[in-house]
Amino acid sequence: MKKIIICWVLILAGLTLPAQEKGISYTEATDLTIVGKVFPDTPNPYERMDFVRFGSWEKKDINLLQMSSGIIVSFRTDASEIWVKPDFKEISQANTSGFATRGFDLYIKRDGKWLWAGAVSYGHDKERENLRPLAVVSNMDNGPKECILYLPTYSKLASVKIGVPDGSSLEKGDAPFRHRICLHGSSFMHGASTGRAGQTVPGYLTRSTGLQFCSLGVSGDCYMQPQFAEALKHADVDAFVFDSFSNGNYKTVNENLFKFIETIQSGKPGVPMIFMGTIWRERRNFDRRQDEAESSKIAMADSLMKIAVKKYKDVYYIPSNATSDSHETTVDGVHPGSWGYQLWAESVRKPILRILRKYGIK
């Protein structure tokens, strides 16, 4: 009887063993290939800015730039299942999809195109969630796969490990996208209110064009501040795309726009700078005060950019749109949902590509 009890205890213990003890081997993402960053060599590889090399950051800047939005892990495997095991520095409490703010989003290439494969979301409790392994996708065949994994948009990471069954291969992927294009902007570029981490404007543009749009979205904090310009003039990128008028008002835009352009061009002469007009925010549909404020903001940006494109070489201004004919793309009257972001990316894709081709970026 005692032997039977011991056997049952061992069986039940086996059922509750953590995944890494059930034949899953893990590799730190930094031992694979990381792309999608404007500044690749940050002290913490899962943050988007080098706070040692570049200074003058405000507390809000640092908080946002420590978030891993837009960072992609590229790898190859023949595994039938793929796991993640993160060590969070901070888990986002944002009131939006957990699959975006604190989740991991996987795409696998099929017939030359990136096809969504799986996603996982973690809870709010860091003590409970840290180092908890989750399967992103299971029950696949054992053929070779080219994969990209998007990291959370609003959480902060100390580590993230990718797991595959013992005996499966897991190795660095090639840098899967061409060139390096900085996409700096507001919460729209950061990915607020999107459903998954890969459903941001930079994510959609990268997968649809094959060009690497590196996300430097900073929610509520994109006013073309001097500290951003000083850092960006040193960025190793081939082009800039800006969503610079979504957060600003007349005062900040009027004060910062021309200085912002001149500072970046002092370090990156001849590099195209493409500014996107801000989108129609659905909260203005019936609210007359909001409608007036939005109209004034757009008119202000239009008038200043009309001057800028004439005053500065290599500066462009293009419209953008995240609204459908049904006006059903918004989540909160300000931010689009995933469909709206896809519409936005598609609305600027061809104009951006036409400009980039002038510079041999294709």
Side-chain angles (χ1 to χ4, degrees), residues 156-175:
K156 302 175 185 179
L157 292 162
S159 164
V160 58
K161 292 180 168 63
I162 313 297
V164 296
D166 292 344
S168 299
S169 66
L170 178 62
E171 56 190 37
K172 288 185 175 184
D174 298 326

Side-chain angles (χ1 to χ4, degrees), residues 28-309:
E28 185 67 35
T30 50
D31 292 330
L32 302 170
T33 301
I34 292 182
V35 297
K37 295 175 63 174
V38 176
F39 300 98
D41 299 321
T42 56
N44 180 333
Y46 305 113
E47 297 177 353
R48 295 177 294 152
M49 183 57 68
D50 187 337
F51 301 109
V52 176
R53 182 182 176 194
F54 306 110
S56 301
W57 299 107
E58 298 178 3
K59 185 176 180 180
K60 184 178 182 182
D61 300 333
I62 295 171
N63 176 54
L64 293 165
L65 292 167
Q66 286 177 333
M67 298 172 182
S68 58
S69 180
I71 299 177
I72 303 169
V73 184
S74 170
F75 57 95
R76 293 192 299 267
T77 184
D78 60 4
S80 61
E81 53 192 270
I82 297 171
W83 293 67
V84 291
K85 185 169 63 171
D87 183 2
F88 290 100
K89 291 176 62 179
E90 183 178 305
I91 296 181
S92 171
Q93 307 292 315
N95 186 25
T96 187
S97 168
F99 286 95
T101 60
R102 51 190 178 274
F104 297 82
D105 196 10
L106 178 69
Y107 285 77
I108 298 176
K109 185 171 279 190
R110 175 182 286 176
D111 299 327
K113 295 183 179 180
W114 293 106
L115 183 64
W116 181 78
V120 292
S121 172
Y122 282 81
H124 293 108
D125 186 344
K126 185 164 75 77
E127 186 174 335
R128 176 178 179 273
E129 297 294 71
N130 264 4
L131 304 179
R132 183 163 77 93
L134 290 178
V136 186
V137 63
S138 303
N139 306 310
M140 297 188 292
D141 62 38
N142 292 111
K145 304 169 188 70
E146 185 177 353
C147 308
I148 53 174
L149 182 73
Y150 289 86
L151 304 188
T153 54
Y154 280 85
S155 295
K156 302 175 185 179
L157 292 162
S159 164
V160 58
K161 292 180 168 63
I162 313 297
V164 296
D166 292 344
S168 299
S169 66
L170 178 62
E171 56 190 37
K172 288 185 175 184
D174 298 326
F177 308 111
R178 306 180 302 279
H179 299 286
R180 292 172 43 76
I181 301 160
C182 169
L183 210 169
H184 174 48
S186 68
S187 58
F188 294 143
M189 299 304 110
H190 198 137
S193 298
T194 193
R196 292 185 276 106
Q199 291 183 308
T200 62
V201 171
Y204 282 124
L205 283 172
T206 295
R207 295 192 303 276
S208 67
T209 65
L211 302 175
Q212 184 183 178
F213 286 83
C214 303
S215 175
L216 203 68
V218 282
S219 283
D221 197 36
C222 183
Y223 298 95
M224 296 178 287
Q225 304 97 308
Q227 63 267 32
F228 282 93
E230 285 294 329
L232 289 176
K233 77 178 185 181
H234 297 287
D236 182 16
V237 297
D238 303 303
F240 295 95
V241 178
F242 298 108
D243 157 42
S244 295
F245 308 117
S246 297
N247 290 149
N249 53 36
Y250 182 85
K251 183 177 184 293
T252 58
V253 173
N254 194 46
E255 287 179 355
N256 295 341
L257 175 60
F258 296 159
K259 294 177 184 176
F260 185 76
I261 293 171
E262 290 166 5
T263 299
I264 293 175
Q265 287 193 334
S266 70
K268 306 298 293 183
V271 174
M273 301 177 68
I274 305 169
F275 289 81
M276 297 185 291
T278 195
I279 59 169
W280 179 279
R281 297 186 183 188
E282 300 294 345
R283 66 183 182 181
R284 64 186 293 189
N285 291 343
F286 293 97
D287 187 320
R288 290 177 296 173
R289 182 176 295 177
Q290 291 291 347
D291 185 49
E292 183 179 344
E294 290 294 314
S295 294
S296 176
K297 177 191 288 189
I298 291 172
M300 170 270 299
D302 289 349
S303 65
L304 288 174
M305 283 308 301
K306 187 175 182 180
I307 297 170
V309 296

